[in-house]
Amino acid sequence: MPARARGPGAARADEGTRTARALALAVLLAAGCRDAPAPRIGLVMGGDAQSVSRLVLEDWHASADPAHRGLSLVDFNRRYTSDAAVALATAESLAAMPAVVAVVGHSNSSASIIASQVYNARHLVQVAPTSTSPLYREAGPWSFRLVGGDDRQAEFLADEVVKRLPARVAVMHVNDDYGRALRQLLFASLKARGVAVAYDGSYVEGEPFDADEATAAIAHARPTLLVWLGRSPQFGRLVDSLRAALPTLPILASDGFGSPTLVRDPRHRFDGIRYVRLVDVAHGSPALQSLRARYRQLTGTELTDQAALSYDALMLLAQATREAGADRAAIRSWLTALGKSHPAFPGVTGPIAFNEHGERVTGYTLVTVGDTLRAGTR
Amino acid sequence: MRGAIVVPSLRRSLVASVLVTVAVATVAMIGGLSATVGARRAVDHDTDALLGEQRTADEIVLLSYQQQLEALRYVAHPDSAARDAFQRLGDDADAHMRRYLFLDLSTAARLQVEVMKERHASFEVAAQRALELADRGDLAAARARMLVAGERGAALDSSVGRFLALRGAQRDALRVESQAVVSRVRVALALVGLGLLLLGLWLSRHLRGLVLVPLEQLTAAATALRGGDLASRVPPQRYVELARVAREFNAMADAVQATRETIEMQNEELRQSFDQLQQTQDELVQHEKLSAMGQMLAGLAHELNNPLGGVLGMAQVLRDELRDSPLEELRQIDAELVEPIEREALRARDLVRSLLSFARKTSGTVEQVPLAATIETAARLRRHAFVLAGKSLRVEVDPALLVFADRQKLQHAALNVINNALDAVAGEAGRAVIVHAVVQGGVAHVHFDDDGPGFANVRAALDPFYTTKPAGHGTGLGLSLVEQFLNECGGSVSVTNRPEGGARVTFTLIAAPAATESPGQLTGAPPRAAVRGPASGETLRVLVVDDEPAMREAQRRLLTLEGFSVLLAATGDEALAILAREHIDLVVTDLRMPGRQDGRALLAVLRATYPALAERTLVVTGDAEGASSAALPVSPERIISKPFTRAEYMAAIQRAVAAEGASGAD
C-alpha cells in the first residue's frame, strides 16, 4: 500500500487507494487464445472512456477472429483517476497482473506521468489517449500517446491568439504538469509573436477557488482575450463572476477544457468559448462519424476527445494482442513498428503510428461550445 | 563407432582443465569484482544521487523562499521585475521538482514528489493571489495572503524534508542491500576462493597424475635403461600423447636391447672368430714354420743326398768287393761293418726322402697312389717317436693297394692321424696304433686304430679348433685338416670309438685298379744287362758328370764293375770338352752343379749338339722327390734319385743302353 501523502491530496489518496483495490481495473479485454489465459487491457480513464469501451467490445466481437474473442467488462472508478495516489496504486495493481499486457490511461498528464514510471519499471505498455504534457516524452519507452505534445498546441493557440489581434491577453492556467508546461510553451510562442501577456494567473485543482477574487484579478488586467489553460469544471466556478465582470471577453481554451458537461450546461454558460480539440469529430472519417453517432445514441452526449481516442487506443491494443500475442514486449515492438515495418493502424481518428518519442503527431481543431464545429485545424 | 575405444588426449585434458579452472576463476573473479564494484558503484551512485537530490531539494526550498521574498518585495513595492522573478523562480523550482519525476523512486517517495508539487503549486497560487491583491492596492489582504503563502511554503519545505527522508530511507535500504550484496559477494568470493583452492589442489594432483607421474615413470625407465637394465620399459599410459611417448620409448628400448644382444652375439662371434683366427694364425705360423722347415729340410735333404749317395754307393761297392771275397774275414767285415753302413745309409736315404716328400708342395692332382707306401712315408717319420714312447706303430696295408688321392695330402692326413694316435696312447693310455685297410665295392676304408681312451666327443672331433689337449699343446685343427685334405682328394673321414676301446679314424677313398709298375719306383735289382754296345760289340763308354768326388767315384766303381768304360767330369764344361774329343755312348749327369754349365745347361747343349746322345742321357739328382716331374728336364724313367742303390742305378743304365740299342748307335 503506498504511503499516505500528507497535504491536500492525502484524503483523496486514501479513498482512491481503497477504490483501486476494489476495482478489477476497468475494462478487461481478453484477446488471447481459448486455451491460454486471455490477455487483458487495463483502462484507466474517465467515464466517457468507459462508455466507449462498450462500443469497443461490440466492434471487437464483430470483427475479431473467433479464436481471439473474449471480452469482459469490469466496473471501474471514474473518480479521482487523475489523483497521483490513485494513479500509482492503479498502476501497481495493473502491472502486478500477469494477464494485463497493456494499459489505456491515464486521464490526464499528471496521472499518466506518475503512472508511467511504474509501467516502465514493470515493462507494461501504456497508451495515453489524451495526455499532452511535454514531460510525458520522458516517461520511458513503454509509454505511448495518441496525441502530440503541447508544444504544438501552444503554437496553435498562439496563432489563434494572434488572429484575434488582442490588445491585452490574460492567461489562466491550472498549476500542474499539464497547465504549467502549456503555459510556458504558450508564453514562449506569444513572445515569439510579439504578444505580451497582461495577466498571468493560476489555480490548483481541488483547492478552494475564490472566483470573485480571480475575476477581480483578471478584470484588473483589462484583458481583451482570456486564454484558459485548464479544465472546464474549475472554469465553471469562475464563469459566472467572469461573465458578470467581463461579459464580452472572448475566451480561448486548451484541449483540457473539453468535457461532456460543456454542452449539457443548461444555462449555456460555456457557449461561445472556443477550445482546442484533439479530434475533428465534425469532419472526421465515416468511421468516426459512425462512432460519434453510436456514442451519442449510447450516452446522449457528444463524442469527446477522450472517448474517441480511448476507442482507438483500445482497438489498437486489441489488434496488437491479436497480432503480437499476449506478450508485453511483443506488443511494445508491434506498436513501435507501426508506420515502419507494419502499416499504420487505421483508427477512427486517423492512421496511428508513433514517432521516436512514442507519440502520434496529430492536428488540432478549434471548436466553439454551442456551435457547430468549425475548421481551425493545425 | 560403437565399441570404439576413445583414447583421451592429454593435451585436451590439460587444456580443458586449465580452461575450466581459468574460466571458473575468471568468472568468479569477474563476477565478484563486478558485484563488488557494482555494489560499490551503486552505493557511490546512491550517495551521489542522494547528494544531488539533497542539493535539488535545497534548491527547491531556496527557490520557494526566494519566491516568497520576491512576492513580499512586490507586495511592498509592486515591480514587474519582482513579478517576473517570482514567476521565473517558480518555474525553476518546478523544473527542479520535475527532476524527481523520472527517478527510481519508491511509491511513497513518488507520491511525496507529487505532494511537493502540489504544495509548491499551492504556495505559488497563494503568493500570486497576494501579488494580485497588491496590484489592486489591497495591501493588507496581500500581506495576509502572503502569510498563507508562507505557511504553504513551510509546508513545501517540510514536504521536501519528508521526501529527502523517504529517499534517505530508500537509499539506506539500498545501501544495506548493497552491503548485504557485498557481504554475500565476499562470502561467495571466499567460497569461490576456497573452491579454487580445492580445485587447484585437485588440479595439481590431477596434473601430477597426468604429467608428473608419467614423467617419473619415463625418467625411471630411462635411468634404468642407461644403467644397463635393458628390460626396463615404460608402463602403458592413459593419454594418447603420453602413450605415444611410452610406445616410442619402449620401441627404442626394444631396439637398444636387440642391438645390444646383436652386438653381444656379434662380439661373441668376433671373439670366437678372433680365437679361430688366432688359432689359424698360429696354425699358419706353424705351417709357415713347417713350410720353411720343409724348405730347409728339402735343402738339407738335397745336401744330404749327395754324401749319402756317396756313402751308399761306396758301401755297395765295398760290399760287392767283400761279399764275394774268398776270405772269411773280409766276408765278416762285410757282414758286420759294411752291411750296417749300407743299411743305415738306406735308412737315412728313406728318411730324407720322406722329409722331402712332406716338404714338397702338394700337386693338387688326384692320381693313383700306393696307399701303403704313402702311409708308410708318414709312419716312418713318427715311428722313432713311437719307439721312444714304448709304443708300436704298424702299417698293415696291402702294398699293391692303390687309391685315388693327392699323395702329399694323403701323407699329411695320415701323419696328422698318427700324431693324434701317438698322443692318445701316450703314458698308460694305450700301447699300439695299427693302420689297416679294407676295400669294399671299389671303396678303400683305411682304419687308424688305437687302444687309447677314445674320443671324448665323437661329434666334435672333426670340428675345427676342437681339442682336448692342454693349451699350447694342439690347435685343434688336425682332424679338421684331415677332413679337408680327404675331401679335396674326393674322399672322406669319419671318427668313432671302438667297442673294444680306443679310437678309430677311417679314411674313405676310391680304390684304384691294380697298379702297373711305376718306372720311377722300381724295386729289386733288375737283371744285369749286357754292357756292350749292340752294334759294335765294343765296351760302352759312359760319361759321368758330377761335382761330388764321392759320387763320381761311386759311379765309376759301379759302372766299372758292370763292364762299362767310364769317363769322369766334375763340371759341365769338362763334360763338353770330353764329348768334343771322345766318343761317348751314354751320359749320366748330376743336375745341380756349380758353374755356368749345370746339368740343365749341359742337357740343352747335348740336345743341340748331340741330339741322339741327349735322348739317352740320364740325370742323377737328389731333388727327384722334392721337385715335380714337370720341372725335371728328362722323363722320369731317365732320372736316378740319389742316394741310389746299385740295383736302381744299374737298372736305369740298362734301360738307357737298351734304348740305344733299339734306336741304333749314335
Side-chain angles (χ1 to χ4, degrees):
Chain A
M1 182 172 187
R4 291 187 58 176
R6 296 169 53 186
R12 291 201 301 277
D14 293 342
E15 184 179 353
T17 301
R18 287 194 293 273
T19 304
R21 284 185 171 184
L23 289 180
L25 302 171
V27 176
L28 302 175
L29 182 65
C33 300
R34 290 180 182 176
D35 297 330
R40 297 174 173 176
I41 300 175
L43 178 63
V44 191
M45 295 293 287
D48 45 358
Q50 186 213 15
S51 300
V52 85
S53 67
R54 295 170 61 182
L55 301 179
V56 168
L57 294 176
E58 291 176 7
D59 293 343
W60 183 249
H61 279 139
S63 68
D65 187 325
H68 295 278
R69 284 205 200 132
L71 184 67
S72 60
L73 183 65
V74 180
D75 191 18
F76 67 99
N77 183 23
R78 335 171 170 183
R79 297 176 61 195
Y80 308 130
T81 57
S82 63
D83 187 85
V86 174
L88 270 179
T90 304
E92 291 283 355
S93 298
L94 286 170
M97 296 174 66
V100 174
V101 297
V103 171
V104 174
H106 293 226
S107 56
N108 65 12
S109 293
S110 293
S112 294
I113 290 169
I114 193 172
S116 70
Q117 296 311 292
V118 175
Y119 297 136
N120 279 271
R122 306 289 285 274
H123 291 187
L124 182 58
V125 173
Q126 174 192 19
V127 178
T130 57
S131 299
T132 59
S133 171
L135 285 176
Y136 191 76
R137 290 195 184 111
E138 300 179 44
W142 291 81
S143 297
F144 300 82
R145 59 182 171 186
L146 296 187
V147 291
D150 279 338
D151 46 350
R152 291 170 55 82
Q153 183 177 188
E155 290 289 316
F156 179 76
L157 281 170
D159 287 342
E160 292 299 324
V161 168
V162 169
K163 282 180 187 176
R164 285 153 180 79
L165 301 175
R168 298 175 67 79
V169 178
V171 177
M172 192 73 156
H173 70 277
V174 58
N175 200 343
D176 62 8
D177 293 326
Y178 163 72
R180 200 182 185 99
L182 183 56
R183 173 205 163 268
Q184 281 184 335
L185 294 167
L186 177 62
F187 271 53
S189 298
L190 290 175
K191 184 178 179 181
R193 288 162 175 75
V195 176
V197 175
Y199 172 80
D200 179 15
S202 64
Y203 69 95
V204 177
E205 278 189 356
E207 281 190 353
F209 184 71
D210 189 335
D212 293 335
E213 191 175 81
T215 300
I218 294 170
H220 181 72
R222 293 180 286 109
T224 57
L225 176 66
L226 172 63
V227 180
W228 182 264
L229 306 178
R231 300 180 180 87
S232 49
Q234 202 77 15
F235 186 79
R237 299 178 191 173
L238 180 66
V239 66
D240 289 337
S241 61
L242 189 63
R243 285 296 192 205
L246 299 166
T248 61
L249 179 64
I251 300 172
L252 193 61
S254 63
D255 70 291
F257 190 78
S259 167
T261 60
L262 291 177
V263 296
R264 287 204 295 260
D265 183 59
R267 292 186 290 162
H268 301 280
R269 292 176 297 168
F270 303 102
D271 287 2
I273 296 175
R274 304 203 76 187
Y275 68 97
V276 176
R277 288 206 62 172
L278 303 174
V279 179
D280 188 0
V281 175
H283 302 94
S285 63
L288 181 60
Q289 299 308 315
S290 170
L291 178 64
R292 182 187 180 196
R294 292 164 62 203
Y295 185 83
R296 189 184 300 145
Q297 186 177 11
L298 178 65
T299 63
T301 60
E302 187 61 49
L303 182 68
T304 64
D305 291 345
Q306 280 207 357
L309 291 169
S310 295
Y311 176 91
D312 270 351
L314 286 169
M315 292 298 285
L316 172 71
L317 290 174
Q319 186 67 19
T321 56
R322 189 169 83 162
E323 291 192 14
D327 179 77
R328 297 176 178 182
I331 291 172
R332 176 181 168 275
S333 299
W334 188 87
L335 294 176
T336 304
L338 288 175
K340 304 177 185 71
S341 58
H342 297 317
F345 179 77
V348 296
T349 60
I352 298 175
F354 303 99
N355 64 8
E356 66 275 14
H357 299 298
E359 61 189 22
R360 173 194 185 198
V361 177
T362 57
Y364 301 96
T365 302
L366 204 62
V367 299
T368 305
V369 179
D371 198 356
T372 56
L373 296 176
R374 284 195 277 273
T377 306
R378 173 181 291 271
Chain B
M1 183 188 294
R2 182 176 295 182
I5 298 175
V6 179
V7 180
S9 168
L10 176 61
R11 183 180 66 180
R12 288 200 206 103
S13 297
L14 287 175
V15 170
S17 301
V18 170
L19 286 179
V20 166
T21 305
V22 170
V24 168
T26 304
V27 168
M29 283 170 53
I30 291 174
L33 285 173
S34 297
T36 305
V37 170
R40 187 154 297 177
R41 279 184 183 170
V43 170
D44 292 342
H45 178 265
D46 290 347
T47 304
D48 292 341
L50 181 62
L51 291 175
E53 290 173 10
Q54 181 71 52
R55 284 192 290 273
T56 300
D58 292 342
E59 283 293 319
I60 293 169
V61 172
L62 177 63
L63 288 167
S64 70
Y65 281 124
Q66 286 177 339
Q67 272 190 300
Q68 288 185 49
L69 287 175
E70 294 297 333
L72 287 171
R73 189 196 305 174
Y74 188 85
V75 168
H77 298 285
D79 178 15
S80 64
R83 191 101 180 225
D84 292 340
F86 171 84
Q87 193 62 50
R88 187 180 65 253
L89 291 166
D91 289 340
D92 288 345
D94 183 69
H96 279 69
M97 280 185 284
R98 265 189 263 138
R99 291 180 188 174
Y100 296 125
L101 283 180
F102 302 107
L103 297 179
D104 182 18
L105 304 177
S106 64
T107 302
R110 198 173 296 284
L111 286 174
Q112 193 62 25
V113 170
E114 296 301 314
V115 168
M116 286 163 54
K117 287 163 60 181
E118 289 175 3
R119 291 186 178 180
H120 178 255
S122 179
F123 153 76
E124 272 194 322
V125 169
Q128 203 166 41
R129 291 293 175 270
L131 297 182
E132 290 168 359
L133 288 168
D135 285 341
R136 296 196 296 275
D138 190 351
L139 298 178
R143 293 192 194 96
R145 194 57 63 91
M146 281 306 301
L147 290 175
V148 173
E151 292 172 359
R152 294 181 180 180
L156 169 63
D157 187 11
S158 83
S159 70
V160 171
R162 171 67 181 158
F163 170 76
L164 289 177
L166 288 172
R167 289 295 288 154
Q170 185 178 2
R171 282 198 162 75
D172 288 341
L174 283 175
R175 191 171 296 113
V176 169
E177 187 178 337
S178 295
Q179 288 173 348
V181 168
V182 171
S183 296
R184 285 196 294 273
V185 168
R186 286 176 181 166
V187 171
L189 283 177
L191 291 174
V192 168
L194 180 63
L196 286 175
L197 178 63
L198 295 174
L199 181 64
L201 290 173
W202 173 84
L203 191 62
S204 66
R205 185 182 174 86
H206 184 56
L207 282 176
R208 183 177 184 281
L210 278 181
V211 179
L212 293 182
V213 169
L215 286 178
E216 288 171 359
Q217 291 173 344
L218 183 62
T219 304
T223 303
L225 185 66
R226 182 168 56 89
D229 180 9
L230 299 184
S232 173
R233 298 292 184 272
V234 178
Q237 300 297 317
R238 181 176 175 213
Y239 292 97
V240 62
E241 295 89 347
L242 294 171
R244 195 180 304 137
V245 172
R247 192 170 52 246
E248 292 302 320
F249 179 87
N250 291 341
M252 178 198 71
D254 290 341
V256 168
Q257 187 176 21
T259 302
R260 180 156 181 177
E261 290 172 354
T262 302
I263 291 173
E264 288 177 350
M265 185 177 66
Q266 289 176 349
N267 281 347
E268 179 61 24
E269 291 177 358
L270 280 174
R271 189 188 61 75
Q272 292 178 359
S273 297
F274 179 78
D275 291 340
Q276 289 180 3
L277 191 63
Q278 188 69 37
Q279 291 178 352
T280 303
Q281 185 182 18
D282 293 340
E283 189 75 12
L284 287 175
V285 169
Q286 188 67 19
H287 179 73
E288 286 300 316
K289 287 181 181 176
L290 291 176
S291 176
M293 189 177 292
Q295 290 178 3
M296 182 190 73
L297 286 175
L300 182 63
H302 171 71
E303 295 301 321
L304 285 175
N305 281 338
N306 281 329
L308 275 176
V311 170
L312 183 60
M314 288 302 184
Q316 290 183 339
V317 170
L318 184 58
R319 287 201 72 196
D320 282 343
E321 294 289 335
L322 296 179
R323 187 171 47 226
D324 296 330
S325 172
L327 294 175
E328 180 61 26
E329 292 84 5
L330 292 179
R331 287 199 302 275
Q332 188 174 3
I333 289 172
D334 173 63
E336 294 178 0
L337 298 178
V338 181
E339 192 275 336
I341 293 173
E342 181 188 31
R343 185 177 68 252
E344 293 304 317
L346 285 172
R347 180 166 169 264
R349 184 195 69 167
D350 292 339
L351 279 175
V352 171
R353 284 183 176 178
S354 295
L355 286 174
L356 286 175
S357 176
F358 276 93
R360 185 189 313 144
K361 292 181 180 178
T362 63
S363 65
T365 303
V366 176
E367 58 187 352
Q368 295 181 6
V369 298
L371 181 63
T374 304
I375 293 176
E376 182 57 37
T377 302
R380 190 178 301 128
L381 293 175
R382 299 299 296 163
R383 185 164 284 114
H384 185 66
F386 272 80
V387 171
L388 288 178
K391 314 294 178 182
S392 69
L393 173 62
R394 304 199 304 273
V395 179
E396 298 175 352
V397 178
D398 182 359
L401 178 58
L402 298 176
V403 294
F404 285 104
D406 180 296
R407 183 194 299 268
Q408 280 69 36
K409 289 181 180 176
L410 184 57
Q411 287 175 350
H412 279 288
L415 179 61
N416 283 349
V417 174
I418 292 172
N419 281 336
N420 285 352
L422 177 60
D423 292 334
V425 300
E428 300 300 326
R431 296 189 308 276
V433 177
I434 301 173
V435 183
H436 60 101
V438 175
V439 177
Q440 291 178 336
V443 177
H445 302 279
V446 185
H447 303 297
F448 294 74
D449 294 339
D450 66 64
D451 57 356
F455 288 104
N457 186 346
V458 173
R459 287 187 176 180
L462 295 178
D463 291 345
F465 306 107
Y466 173 78
T467 179
T468 58
K469 297 175 183 175
H473 289 77
T475 63
L477 291 174
L479 288 180
S480 67
L481 286 173
V482 167
E483 186 178 35
Q484 179 183 343
F485 291 152
L486 289 176
N487 288 342
E488 291 171 355
C489 294
S492 64
V493 63
S494 62
V495 300
T496 186
N497 288 328
R498 298 167 61 208
E500 59 271 36
R504 166 174 282 186
V505 179
T506 302
F507 292 179
T508 301
L509 296 163
I510 304 299
T516 54
E517 190 170 277
S518 168
Q521 294 293 332
L522 290 177
T523 58
R528 290 189 179 188
V531 297
R532 297 186 182 276
S536 64
E538 296 177 354
T539 302
L540 293 180
R541 296 165 64 84
V542 178
L543 175 61
V544 174
V545 185
D546 199 312
D547 59 316
E548 291 288 333
M551 287 304 302
R552 287 199 304 271
E553 182 57 24
Q555 291 181 73
R556 190 191 65 77
R557 286 183 176 268
L558 287 175
L559 287 169
T560 301
L561 286 175
E562 295 295 332
F564 287 91
S565 173
V566 181
L567 287 82
L568 301 177
T571 65
D573 291 332
E574 286 184 19
L576 290 175
I578 293 175
L579 285 169
R581 68 174 183 269
E582 299 288 343
H583 170 74
I584 299 299
D585 296 308
L586 182 67
V587 175
V588 181
T589 177
D590 186 14
L591 198 59
R592 286 192 180 182
M593 289 185 293
R596 186 169 55 86
Q597 291 292 341
D598 63 357
R600 294 180 189 273
L602 178 60
L603 279 171
V605 173
L606 288 178
R607 286 194 188 98
T609 310
Y610 309 98
L613 183 62
E615 291 297 320
R616 298 192 295 273
T617 297
L618 298 177
V619 173
V620 178
T621 178
D623 287 340
E625 296 294 331
S628 64
S629 57
L632 296 174
V634 297
S635 58
E637 65 274 12
R638 290 161 58 192
I639 296 176
I640 304 174
S641 298
K642 57 180 178 182
F644 44 79
T645 63
R646 178 183 177 178
E648 293 168 353
Y649 185 80
M650 290 312 299
I653 294 293
Q654 291 298 335
R655 282 195 297 273
V657 170
E660 179 194 19
S663 63
D666 180 19

